[in-house]
Amino acid sequence: MSFAVVATTVVLVMTFVPIIFMEGSVGQLFSEYAMTLNIFSQLAMIMLIGLSAKNGILIVEFINQLRDQGWTFNEAVLEASALRLRPILMTALTTVVGANPLLLASGAGSAFRFSIGVVVFAGVTVSSLLTLFVVPAMYSLMARRTTSPDHVSRQLEKLLTQ
C-alpha cells in the first residue's frame, strides 16, 4: 500500500474523533438532566469513538480494495458506500436499541446507566450518518490524486518480470 493511501486513511479517521466526542457531549447537554462528563460517559465516548472509527476504516478499506480490482475512483467510492450501508446501519440500529434500556432505567444506579445511554444513543445516531455520507465525500476530496493502493506492487512485479 502506498504511503499516500495510508496517510489519507489515518487523517480521515482521526479527523472525526473530535467531532464524535462533540456528538456525545451534545447528547449530554440536551438531556433533561444536563449531566456532567463522568467516568461512565467517558467510557461510552471511548466505545463511540471505536465504533465510528471502525465504520470509517471499513468504508475506506473497501474503497481501496475495489480500486485494487481495477474500478475507477468514483465507481469504487459509490459502490463501497452502497455496499457498506446495510452493515453500518445494522450495527448502529442494534447499538441504539441496546442503549434504550440504559435510557429508560429507574432505581438504584439509574443515573449512571443514563449517562452511558445518552452518549451512546446520541453519538451513534449522528456518527453513523456522518460515517455514511461524510467519510466517502472526504475520501473523494483527499485521495482523488492518489493511485490504487496496490499500484506500487504491480509496478514492481512488472519490473521484476522484464
Side-chain angles (χ1 to χ4, degrees):
M1 227 190 258
S2 68
F3 177 75
V5 173
V6 173
T8 302
T9 304
V10 170
V11 168
L12 184 63
V13 171
M14 293 307 294
T15 303
F16 286 102
V17 171
I19 297 169
I20 294 164
F21 186 79
M22 286 189 304
E23 294 166 7
S25 300
V26 168
Q28 284 184 314
L29 286 173
F30 288 122
S31 71
E32 63 183 277
Y33 298 111
M35 303 170 337
T36 61
L37 185 64
N38 56 30
I39 188 71
F40 298 106
S41 58
Q42 290 173 1
L43 286 172
M45 296 266 191
I46 291 170
M47 186 203 77
L48 179 64
I49 289 169
L51 182 67
S52 299
K54 175 195 72 89
N55 288 337
I57 289 170
L58 287 175
I59 287 179
V60 170
E61 181 60 29
F62 202 72
I63 293 170
N64 290 336
Q65 287 176 2
L66 291 177
R67 290 178 68 194
D68 285 341
Q69 293 173 5
W71 291 56
T72 66
F73 184 83
N74 290 331
E75 288 175 347
V77 170
L78 290 173
E79 183 69 17
S81 301
L83 289 177
R84 297 305 307 163
L85 174 69
R86 184 171 154 234
I88 289 173
L89 286 180
M90 287 172 57
T91 303
L93 184 64
T94 55
T95 307
V96 167
V97 169
N100 278 335
L102 299 171
L103 292 170
L104 303 173
S106 62
S110 64
F112 298 129
R113 289 189 295 269
F114 186 77
S115 66
I116 294 173
V118 164
V119 171
V120 169
F121 187 86
V124 168
T125 303
V126 176
S127 73
S128 297
L129 294 174
L130 273 178
T131 302
L132 288 170
F133 298 110
V134 178
V135 167
M138 291 291 290
Y139 185 86
S140 293
L141 292 174
M142 295 173 70
R144 182 163 299 281
R145 293 191 176 99
T146 62
T147 59
S148 167
D150 204 26
H151 178 72
V152 174
S153 63
R154 276 190 250 143
Q155 283 183 335
L156 286 173
E157 285 177 13
K158 194 185 301 182
L159 288 174
L160 290 174
T161 57
Q162 290 179 353

